Amino acid sequence: MRAILAILGAVVGAVVGYIGAFFTAYPIFVAIEGSDMNGGIAMGVAVTVGPLMAIVMAILFLFLVLKLVKPKPRPEPVIDPNEDPDEKFFRPPPGKGPGPDTQTLVAVGVVILMIVLGVNWLWG
């Protein structure tokens, strides 16, 4: 569930970043260049600044969702009285897994793949 929320958060971040480019960069460019009579500045924002801000905001929203949504705690391991008494010193602390969080890896991998494919489609 955490991975799905992170991927959806990245998609929302990309949309917010793309639309935000028009509310931030477009007025700045019009103030610098003058009036946009034929839409050249708008097209420049739509093709260059918009996708760049979409990528930045998608990555920002991805890590924001991953930071805010905590992973589900892992169950306590069952301790067998017949096992080696020194083994408990090499076991990870309770609640911590021996490896990375797989949902975080899946979410980051899917978002990176979406960004690479989107950039390849746009500028390929």
Side-chain angles (χ1 to χ4, degrees):
M1 185 68 182
R2 186 171 179 236
I4 293 172
L5 288 175
I7 293 168
L8 289 175
V11 170
V12 168
V15 171
V16 167
Y18 190 79
I19 293 172
F22 286 99
F23 288 110
T24 58
Y26 182 72
I28 293 171
F29 290 147
V30 168
I32 292 172
E33 295 290 328
S35 65
D36 187 19
M37 297 300 283
N38 60 357
I41 296 174
M43 184 61 84
V45 170
V47 176
T48 57
V49 179
L52 183 64
M53 282 187 69
I55 290 170
V56 169
M57 292 299 286
I59 293 171
L60 180 75
F61 273 50
L62 169 73
F63 288 116
L64 182 69
V65 169
L66 287 175
K67 185 74 173 171
L68 292 178
V69 178
K70 298 296 180 192
K72 191 176 2 176
R74 297 191 175 164
E76 294 290 326
V78 177
I79 299 174
D80 184 18
N82 296 330
E83 70 183 25
D84 184 20
D86 292 332
E87 194 267 335
K88 67 180 180 181
F89 296 111
F90 297 106
R91 187 180 307 137
K96 296 288 184 182
D101 182 25
T102 55
Q103 290 191 359
T104 301
L105 293 175
V106 167
V108 170
V110 168
V111 170
I112 288 174
L113 181 68
M114 288 177 8
I115 289 171
V116 167
L117 291 176
V119 168
N120 189 23
W121 175 76
L122 184 64
W123 292 321

